[in-house]
Amino acid sequence: MTHSRWFRAVAIAEAISWTGLLIGMLFKYVLSDNEIGVKIFGPIHGGIFVVYVVTVLVVRGPLRWSWPVTLAALAASVPPLFTWFFEIWAVRTGRIDGNQQAAVPSRPEANSTAA
């Protein structure tokens, strides 16, 4: 599995585990006193969170991420579902899947709004 595919899989898994934990917290604190969702998804999310952080640090070199991009990827692990948003942004800007020239134009005329 390539570095980009591994990162994408872990980022999406982290977002899904966040969703499960949030649903568990909704049941525990709002809808009922049932804490089974938190007991199940808490450790799952914690484990995937650690895997995500390690994955970011491992793939940053092969994917040629700058430190600001790396720090953004790490910061995305804190708010719910932001790892998924970071993954979408990284694909669109060419920081994943090696399509950087097409996604991030470096020529001034490519950024021009003149017709």
Side-chain angles (χ1 to χ4, degrees), residues 3 7 29 34-35 41 64-65 80 82 84 97 101 103-105:
H3 292 98
F7 173 78
Y29 296 111
N34 189 344
E35 58 184 55
F41 282 101
R64 297 181 180 176
W65 286 353
F82 272 49
W84 188 16
D97 294 335
Q101 288 183 348
V104 184

Side-chain angles (χ1 to χ4, degrees), residues 16-102:
I16 291 169
S17 72
W18 242 127
T19 303
L21 182 57
L22 289 173
I23 292 169
M25 290 169 58
L26 175 69
F27 277 94
K28 179 178 179 180
Y29 296 111
V30 177
L31 300 178
S32 69
D33 226 3
N34 189 344
E35 58 184 55
I36 189 73
V38 174
K39 285 185 177 183
I40 292 171
F41 282 101
I44 291 171
H45 174 67
I48 295 175
F49 170 82
V50 171
V51 170
Y52 176 82
V53 169
V54 170
T55 299
V56 167
L57 297 175
V58 168
V59 303
R60 77 168 296 277
L63 294 179
R64 297 181 180 176
W65 286 353
S66 64
W67 277 110
V69 171
T70 303
L71 293 175
L74 292 171
S77 67
V78 178
L81 308 178
F82 272 49
T83 56
W84 188 16
F85 299 135
F86 176 84
E87 182 266 338
I88 292 169
W89 172 82
V91 169
R92 288 184 180 170
T93 59
R95 287 166 174 86
I96 296 179
D97 294 335
N99 197 12
Q100 197 165 11
Q101 288 183 348

